Amino acid sequence: MTIFLAWLLDALWGEPPARLHPVVWMGSYLRAAKKYNDGTIKRGVLLWAGGAALSVGSAAVAQLALTRLPAFVQIPLAAALLKPLFAWRALKEAAQTVADAPDLPEARKQLSWSLVSRDTSELSAGEVYGATIESVAENLSDSVVAPLFYYCIGGLTLAGLYRYANTADAMWGYRTPELERFGKMAARTDDVLNWIPARLTTLCLLGASALAGKDTRRAFQVWRRDSHNTSSPNAGQPMSTMAGILGRQLTKRGVYSLGAEFDEPTRADVERTLRVTNIAAWLVVAGATLWMLRRRL
């Protein structure tokens, strides 16, 4: 029931205020620690580990405290603590702002503000909508499937560790002269932790595709062919699956192409993506809830 209640909290209220958000606290630590970057792997490992210890320790203390409470108090409190460790409503709203933008310049701006870190100023309409679709598919894994997966196997402690690792990768895990070595620990740990969730996300997307009446066979074929086209071992899993579901190419100039034989995506494809991924997200929540109930029996 904890997962389902946390899901309802997300649907009804979205993200908690920044001052109460543990991911914001993680980001504050990572931003401060980044100032001590000396360009070495060792310094990056030590500072990454310090933040991990704080995140895991805090989550473990909260988990232990919950076990001492009666169930009628424990469940809603656990749901309130779990909710900030995943995000679905915020992701959908961010994608919708791009789809609802009145013109291309505004769509580029919304994409840059809320979904991607790349320069969007020269992107075509197809690239803008494609990047939005990619972000929704990838973050279905990073922001929903993975946190709930780790909660199912390790409670708040593992979910907190995952959320920290994913946030560290988002802030430090870049192949730039400044961060190539310093952020290596952050990038590699995120790759390892996301390996299973990314592939579970593909399964959920294929299931959602079937339920939505999409071409699931085509989605499977594109996934098998293109899932390793990205430099990340995980991002290409849900992204290539979504390219196949939509029958649209998802391309990052000079980096990768998924579903290259298809046309570029349109604004309507963002809406289609949100419908399919919403079904997939509900499949994840239902599966995670049933898993936790089974463990209690």
Side-chain angles (χ1 to χ4, degrees):
M1 286 302 296
T2 298
I3 290 174
F4 186 71
L5 183 55
W7 189 253
L8 289 181
L9 291 175
D10 179 74
L12 293 173
W13 290 292
E15 299 306 300
R19 67 181 184 279
L20 302 175
H21 207 306
V23 179
V24 174
W25 303 341
M26 294 172 188
S28 296
Y29 167 83
L30 290 163
R31 195 173 298 108
K34 188 177 175 182
K35 296 176 182 178
Y36 297 94
N37 175 10
D38 65 353
T40 66
I41 293 176
K42 181 180 179 180
R43 181 67 62 86
V45 169
L46 289 173
L47 291 173
W48 183 95
L54 288 171
S55 300
V56 170
S58 300
V61 168
Q63 187 79 56
L64 180 62
L66 286 171
T67 62
R68 302 175 183 275
L69 299 173
F72 73 92
V73 177
Q74 182 184 136
I75 291 174
L77 277 180
L81 291 171
L82 173 60
K83 161 59 208 91
L85 300 180
F86 73 90
W88 180 234
R89 175 174 168 169
L91 176 60
K92 290 191 297 180
E93 289 176 347
Q96 195 65 57
T97 60
V98 178
D100 291 342
D103 52 41
L104 180 56
E106 183 62 24
R108 289 169 175 158
K109 185 187 302 182
Q110 293 297 333
L111 176 66
S112 177
W113 281 352
S114 55
L115 288 173
V116 302
S117 57
R118 73 181 86 162
D119 179 16
T120 63
S121 61
E122 300 298 325
L123 296 185
S124 67
E127 288 174 316
V128 166
Y129 297 129
T132 303
I133 292 165
E134 292 167 20
S135 294
V136 172
E138 183 179 4
N139 281 290
L140 174 65
S141 177
D142 291 0
S143 297
V144 178
V145 177
L148 295 184
F149 171 76
Y150 284 107
Y151 180 78
C152 283
I153 64 175
L156 291 172
T157 305
L158 276 189
L161 173 62
Y162 170 77
R163 191 75 271 167
Y164 169 77
N166 187 245
T167 305
D169 178 61
M171 297 180 70
W172 292 3
Y174 295 96
R175 293 180 177 176
T176 62
E178 178 193 7
L179 295 170
E180 174 78 36
R181 292 173 61 79
F182 178 76
K184 190 173 288 292
M185 177 69 174
R188 292 294 176 264
T189 305
D190 185 71
D191 285 345
V192 171
L193 291 178
N194 272 307
W195 199 92
I196 293 175
R199 286 147 184 84
L200 287 176
T201 303
T202 286
L203 290 176
C204 292
L205 285 171
L206 291 172
S209 172
L211 290 173
K214 305 297 183 184
D215 192 337
T216 304
R217 182 178 179 182
R218 180 182 66 193
F220 180 77
Q221 291 172 339
V222 174
W223 166 74
R224 285 194 64 187
R225 188 192 69 200
D226 293 350
S227 60
H228 300 294
N229 286 1
T230 60
S231 57
S232 164
N234 302 313
Q237 303 292 322
M239 285 162 48
S240 62
T241 307
M242 186 53 64
I245 290 172
L246 298 173
R248 293 289 186 267
Q249 64 171 271
L250 300 176
T251 302
K252 185 174 182 180
R253 291 185 203 178
V255 181
Y256 59 76
S257 181
L258 311 171
E261 71 271 31
F262 304 128
D263 293 334
E264 286 192 333
T266 65
R267 183 195 306 262
D269 291 311
V270 176
E271 302 282 359
R272 293 166 62 200
T273 297
L274 290 173
R275 286 194 291 271
V276 172
T277 52
N278 203 49
I279 296 172
W282 275 103
L283 289 176
V284 172
V285 172
T289 300
L290 290 173
W291 173 264
M292 295 299 287
L293 288 174
R294 181 176 177 273
R295 286 182 58 186
R296 291 178 178 273
L297 294 179

